Amino acid sequence: MSDLSGKTAVVTGSTSGIGKAIALCLASSGCRIFLHGIDAPEIAERAGEEMHAAGAAAVAVGDGDLLEPDAANDLVAMAHEHLGPVDILVNNAGIQHVAPIENFPDDEWNRVIELNLSVPFRLIKHVLPTMRENGWGRVVNIASVHGLVASAQKSAYVAAKHGLVGLTKTVALETGGDQITCNAVCPGYVRTPLIETQLEARAKDEGITVEEMVRPFLEEKQPSGTFVPPADIGAVVFFLCSDAGAQITGSTFTIDGGWTAQ
Ligand code: NAD
């Protein structure tokens, strides 16, 4: 198994949810971990302790709202200052908004495109020069099945995630030959706050409990009938960062319980 000790990994949105599971997986291979999120300080602190317990060589935490101008630049500078040059960037922070196009608020469209697509673009732009200098780098973009197929009422998210898959391919072409890879991971439904909000809204519409909503919600899209465990996404990200991933670039990895096989 590859050892990532000596590497510094930045995972956006990693104080909770999928990002935290990814950071834990990288921590257990000995990486220095730069955690980031906008959760309450005690949540970030607890996540930091979990990273140390998992085996992280060092841990630092940043809390910038990535929708603020200059936040991407500041985040990379902060990680560099605390843990050294960024070797691994995982673009994970993301948001969703669900509404039919005619009622889709312009400001929600802008926020979803900004955080899910433009922020990864800026972070990649800021980390690539150092990765090139060091002759090694891994960029993993957490896209979604919605980077490959659409669902109704998710126009901004689907557009942003399709864009992120396109960005992934372009970065791969521009970094080929520099020992830098860039790939996208495309999960199906994972039970995190992002999905909990949708489950609650659908349960309310149908007049049933959230737990009663789980089965029809999954049956509609995800043939496995089970949520994807966040740790499975961490394992794929680790694989892409390992030596075995050196020749994998510009690819999309679905972890979707069969969603996109239909
Ligand atoms: P989540 O809501 O649990 O976590 C999102 C993370 O993003 C949080 O850590 C939060 O701190 C961070 N974040 C939110 N707004 C931010 C902002 N303005 N600035 C900085 N950070 C911000 O969601 P999740 O389900 O863990 O999603 C993580 C990624 O996985 C997202 O990119 C999402 O699109 C993607 N994804 C999720 C699912 C799913 O079913 N949950 C499926 C496919 C893809």
Side-chain angles (χ1 to χ4, degrees):
M1 183 155 148
S2 275
D3 177 7
L4 295 175
S5 56
K7 306 290 188 204
T8 293
V10 170
V11 185
T12 63
S14 50
T15 48
S16 64
I18 294 172
K20 183 167 140 188
I22 294 169
L24 274 173
C25 224
L26 295 174
S28 65
S29 71
C31 270
R32 292 186 286 267
I33 301 290
F34 190 83
L35 285 178
H36 160 268
I38 52 168
D39 299 305
E42 58 274 18
I43 293 177
E45 201 176 310
R46 213 173 315 130
E49 287 162 8
E50 287 180 53
M51 299 298 144
H52 279 298
V59 181
V61 185
D63 63 353
D65 179 346
L66 288 170
L67 290 169
E68 292 294 321
D70 293 332
N73 199 1
D74 294 348
L75 186 74
V76 173
M78 213 190 307
H80 194 131
E81 187 187 322
H82 290 283
L83 300 177
V86 178
D87 303 296
I88 297 169
L89 168 67
V90 183
N91 279 309
N92 169 78
I95 43 170
Q96 168 71 280
H97 186 83
V98 181
I101 292 237
E102 298 93 319
N103 303 334
F104 210 99
D106 286 6
D107 62 335
E108 290 296 347
W109 169 273
N110 290 336
R111 276 163 42 82
V112 171
I113 298 287
E114 182 68 17
L115 190 63
N116 294 312
L117 178 58
S118 304
V119 166
F121 158 72
R122 282 199 282 280
L123 286 167
I124 293 168
K125 190 172 167 177
H126 291 309
V127 298
L128 278 189
T130 317
M131 288 182 177
R132 284 193 207 276
E133 257 172 59
N134 294 343
W136 197 93
R138 297 282 189 270
V139 177
V140 184
N141 295 322
I142 306 306
S144 163
V145 286
H146 288 113
L148 304 167
V149 295
S151 291
Q153 303 202 2
K154 296 185 177 177
S155 54
Y157 189 78
V158 169
K161 295 296 190 182
H162 273 68
L164 188 57
V165 168
L167 174 66
T168 302
K169 293 177 187 175
T170 306
V171 174
L173 293 182
E174 292 190 17
T175 54
D178 290 331
Q179 314 298 323
I180 299 168
T181 68
C182 180
N183 292 287
V185 174
C186 299
Y189 283 141
V190 185
R191 196 161 185 183
T192 65
L194 185 140
I195 288 300
E196 210 61 39
T197 313
Q198 293 176 47
L199 271 174
E200 283 164 14
R202 289 279 302 275
K204 197 172 163 211
D205 283 353
E206 314 250 339
I208 57 178
T209 67
V210 170
E211 285 319 308
E212 284 167 342
M213 191 63 232
V214 166
R215 200 162 156 203
F217 187 79
L218 285 168
E219 270 175 358
E220 201 177 82
K221 299 280 186 180
Q222 197 148 300
S224 65
T226 322
F227 288 105
V228 177
D232 291 13
I233 299 168
V236 170
V237 172
F238 169 77
F239 170 69
L240 290 169
C241 294
S242 73
D243 293 343
Q247 288 302 316
I248 303 172
T249 193
S251 294
T252 48
F253 276 72
T254 50
I255 317 177
D256 65 359
W259 183 322
T260 53
Q262 298 163 98

